[in-house]
Amino acid sequence: MARRRLLASFALAGMAATVALAGTQGIASAKPKPTPAKPTKVVIILVDALSREIVDKYGMSNVQALMDVGVDTPRGYLGHTGSVTVVTHNVITSGLLPKHMGWTNEGYRDSLDVLPDRKATNAGDNLFISSNWTSAEMFPVQNKLGYPKLGDYLAKSGGVYTVSPKAYAAYGFSGDVPGTTTITFGGTVTCGTAPNTQRYRIPVGINLPSWLDTTCGSRWLVERDKGYDTLQEPARLYPALDDRYVVGDEAGHQGGDVWATDLSLRIMQEDEDWSGLFISLPGVDKAAHMWGGVNDPEGGDLDGDGQPDVIGYNELTHMEYATATADAQVGRIMDALEESGDLDDTVVVLTADHGSVAAAEDHFHGDFEPVNDYGLWNWYYGDVENDVYLDPQEALKPLVEEGNVGLSYSDSSINVWLKDQSPEAAAATAEVMATLPDVTAVWHRNGDHFDRVSPVRWERMTSPGERAWFVRKAQELVDTQAADYGPDLVATLPDDTTYSVHGDHGGIQRSTQQIPIVFAGGGLSSKDLHSEVRSVDIMPTLLRTLGIEPDAPMDGVAYKLPMG
């Protein structure tokens, strides 16, 4: 009965949606299937940047229904830094903390000597920006440490598929698992006859299915060169320039979350023997970065005077639309599993790769310039092997001018890879770092942990809850990226502060750490798990639920999920 109530709520949520979100690919009629002793299939639905705060504010009814009738984890949290996309997708499907999986953040020092130097000089210093990686860089780093991925286990019983419009998310999720399929976006094709031509993004990946048409006119192509209302502040720092991360307005070629869900439903239809499906939905993340997350001025009221003041306001780039879209896709996936008869044989995980910090007035420390994607210059500083950013925001200049920064990555924390890693040089840089706006503490890596090397600025934390969270979690979270390839120094920031774009990830804040982690389907009950479940616990918990003995140790805890 619980499952029927769940699916009824999905149907009602879909009927109440204020946006047209129907997909183009269906599911075959249900066939009676025997209930297995243990489930054999896994679906992970990852809604990028979905904090519990966002679920509640925007009333995401399908996500809330899943929490109600699945195994929710009310005390669950992300459990690591950097709390960023390029890290967490791999944490979830490896069961390892960042300090044991090969990279810890968007910055990376090649201490494992995996990637070739790209520069003839020493300018790069073996430092990389990991979100620029393709599979050609990410897979060798994963493989260097030799750990199995979730797909390695699932591929023994059926097809394993990863679908994500965001390439580095896709490859982190999937890993280098022989025979599995990864589908993402890349490249461009121009369709039509001049002067009526249009550029489209096309699907790329690994082991693409034969039915995936990538030619002009295919449903799976999505429009490029579309800015909507995002070519203005604050969205211009990281604008939507096509329909890869947003749904878009071209019927039959919807992108973002709808594209990923349509592909996933088609996979279920084409391969009845699938065993794993990892789906990453990017729409909420994009809207949150552009418009400040829960501070999004819906309707265009940027100055808060009650009057629309955004030229060309378009709802489809904003948080209300993005959350409704993501929520509808959760419902579509769950309905498809029920209709195909696979739900009792499938453990569904609903989670996120991080939450979203919304910068308060006077607590945004990035710069604005009339250039699209200028937020990249706020995020990164350094002449690294695979990019160059040498124009830091004003707030970061004292740190850069100190002269020892090889690479910095700044979001809702500040992470620094030093040129000179000696204790004396690190101490001098840390001293400057502690003077930067809104820094609450500075931490120096010491082997497998970080030492706090500055006083805690308690007065910069504005509530007892924020201070209590810092006491309980700051050391634990910072320590998860204590590895030679991780940052040498980390500065933590308050709940409402970013150095990059108006809504961001990265740090220890509750709004980026408190994410949904829900297990459903597979004969599970609606009894909640009240342990402090983390992202790193998802893989060992899945293996235990499926009755699979792991081949290698993991950092995560294998929780016993209550059965119905």
Side-chain angles (χ1 to χ4, degrees):
M1 291 299 295
R3 187 171 297 114
R4 286 296 174 190
R5 288 196 296 272
L6 171 63
L7 292 170
S9 69
F10 286 154
L12 291 172
M15 291 169 60
T18 59
V19 290
L21 300 171
T24 62
Q25 305 297 322
I27 274 289
S29 300
K31 298 178 181 178
K33 298 183 179 181
T35 301
K38 285 185 179 293
T40 65
K41 299 174 181 284
V42 170
V43 170
I44 301 178
I45 309 170
L46 187 150
V47 181
D48 202 324
L50 187 67
S51 66
R52 282 185 171 265
E53 179 184 23
I54 288 171
V55 172
D56 292 341
K57 174 170 181 176
Y58 293 97
M60 297 177 70
S61 55
N62 289 329
V63 172
Q64 290 167 332
L66 208 59
M67 291 176 171
D68 286 343
V69 302
V71 181
D72 192 14
T73 60
R75 300 178 64 213
Y77 66 111
L78 189 72
H80 61 264
T81 55
S83 50
V84 293
T85 295
V86 72
V87 170
T88 305
H89 283 74
N90 197 70
V91 167
I92 290 171
T93 53
S94 71
L96 297 174
L97 292 170
K99 66 181 182 179
H100 296 143
M101 75 178 205
W103 70 100
T104 74
N105 215 311
E106 295 224 16
Y108 168 76
R109 174 182 282 115
D110 191 19
S111 61
L112 302 175
D113 195 25
V114 180
L115 304 178
D117 291 351
R118 295 188 178 184
K119 298 185 176 178
T121 68
N122 292 327
D125 286 329
N126 250 14
L127 296 170
F128 294 80
I129 295 173
S130 64
S131 58
N132 286 352
W133 285 346
T134 65
S135 60
E137 293 86 20
M138 186 176 289
F139 288 172
V141 175
Q142 291 172 334
N143 294 341
K144 180 74 173 183
L145 298 180
Y147 53 83
K149 296 277 286 183
L150 181 56
D152 284 294
Y153 297 99
L154 298 177
K156 295 174 183 178
S157 60
V160 177
Y161 300 85
T162 299
V163 179
S164 172
K166 191 179 293 186
Y168 54 85
Y171 297 124
F173 231 0
S174 66
D176 188 14
V177 180
T180 64
T181 293
T182 303
I183 308 173
T184 185
F185 274 128
T188 300
V189 62
T190 300
C191 299
T193 304
N196 300 312
T197 60
Q198 171 65 51
R199 296 202 309 161
Y200 287 86
R201 283 198 179 272
I202 59 175
V204 299
I206 298 170
N207 196 28
L208 297 182
S210 60
W211 51 261
L212 184 63
D213 185 2
T214 61
T215 61
C216 290
S218 167
R219 181 272 172 270
W220 309 116
L221 274 60
V222 302
E223 280 192 305
R224 296 209 64 169
D225 310 316
K226 303 288 287 288
Y228 303 103
D229 64 341
T230 71
L231 302 181
Q232 57 191 307
E233 312 304 359
R236 191 171 189 171
L237 287 169
Y238 186 52
L241 299 176
D242 55 36
D243 292 345
R244 175 171 48 163
Y245 299 153
V246 300
V247 169
D249 59 5
E250 186 180 14
H253 291 276
Q254 291 176 308
D257 295 1
V258 174
W259 180 87
T261 303
D262 284 356
L263 263 175
S264 300
L265 301 191
R266 179 66 180 271
I267 287 166
M268 292 184 202
Q269 184 180 38
E270 295 286 343
D271 183 1
E272 291 187 357
D273 295 325
W274 66 271
S275 63
L277 184 53
F278 311 146
I279 311 161
S280 185
L281 307 179
V284 173
D285 177 76
K286 189 63 174 176
H289 280 311
M290 292 191 297
W291 299 110
V294 295
N295 290 343
D296 185 344
E298 300 283 353
D301 185 16
L302 283 174
D303 57 15
D305 65 358
Q307 300 297 319
D309 51 19
V310 175
I311 298 172
Y313 171 76
N314 189 317
E315 68 174 0
L316 66 81
T317 76
H318 288 263
M319 286 292 290
E320 186 173 344
Y321 184 98
T323 53
T325 302
D327 193 58
Q329 308 321 304
V330 172
R332 292 179 63 208
I333 294 165
M334 294 302 296
D335 285 344
L337 289 169
E338 174 74 6
E339 291 164 11
S340 68
D342 283 324
L343 187 55
D344 285 335
D345 191 25
T346 304
V347 181
V348 179
V349 179
L350 184 283
T351 191
D353 51 353
H354 54 77
S356 180
V357 173
E361 187 176 0
D362 299 326
H363 293 276
F364 172 67
H365 300 301
D367 288 348
F368 285 106
E369 293 290 343
V371 178
N372 292 338
D373 273 325
Y374 194 79
L376 297 174
W377 295 86
N378 293 331
W379 270 318
Y380 310 113
Y381 173 82
D383 183 359
V384 299
E385 301 286 354
N386 59 346
D387 226 328
V388 179
Y389 292 98
L390 295 176
D391 187 14
Q393 62 268 58
E394 195 67 28
L396 203 67
K397 283 184 178 179
L399 177 64
V400 170
E401 291 168 355
E402 191 266 340
N404 196 26
V405 175
L407 170 64
S408 70
Y409 174 67
S410 306
D411 47 14
S412 69
S413 64
I414 304 171
N415 307 271
V416 173
W417 289 255
L418 297 172
K419 296 177 181 177
D420 182 349
Q421 297 174 272
S422 68
E424 298 78 13
T429 307
E431 186 174 351
V432 176
M433 209 166 173
T435 69
L436 300 181
D438 281 329
V439 167
T440 58
V442 178
W443 313 74
H444 176 225
R445 182 170 54 81
N446 181 8
D448 65 353
H449 67 282
F450 278 82
D451 294 328
R452 183 170 55 79
V453 293
S454 76
V456 179
R457 298 294 299 272
W458 299 106
E459 75 279 7
R460 292 180 172 175
M461 303 180 208
T462 58
S463 72
E466 181 177 8
R467 291 188 285 272
W469 179 263
F470 185 96
V471 170
R472 291 182 57 231
K473 296 298 181 184
Q475 183 76 58
E476 171 200 335
L477 293 171
V478 171
D479 281 351
T480 61
Q481 58 174 333
D484 290 345
Y485 43 78
D488 301 297
L489 296 171
V490 174
T492 48
L493 301 172
D495 274 358
D496 57 358
T497 302
T498 70
Y499 268 65
S500 44
V501 292
H502 272 232
D504 215 350
H505 42 44
I508 67 168
Q509 296 89 339
R510 292 170 296 174
S511 57
T512 198
Q513 288 287 326
Q514 291 178 332
I515 61 166
I517 301 176
V518 185
F519 300 89
L524 299 177
S525 79
S526 59
K527 183 179 179 181
D528 291 344
L529 194 59
H530 289 281
S531 301
E532 288 192 322
V533 180
R534 306 157 299 164
S535 298
V536 73
D537 302 325
I538 291 173
M539 178 165 161
T541 299
L542 284 171
L543 294 183
R544 178 173 180 171
T545 305
L546 272 60
I548 297 174
E549 188 69 27
D551 295 333
M554 291 175 281
D555 293 317
V557 176
Y559 287 100
K560 183 178 181 180
L561 298 178
M563 305 302 291

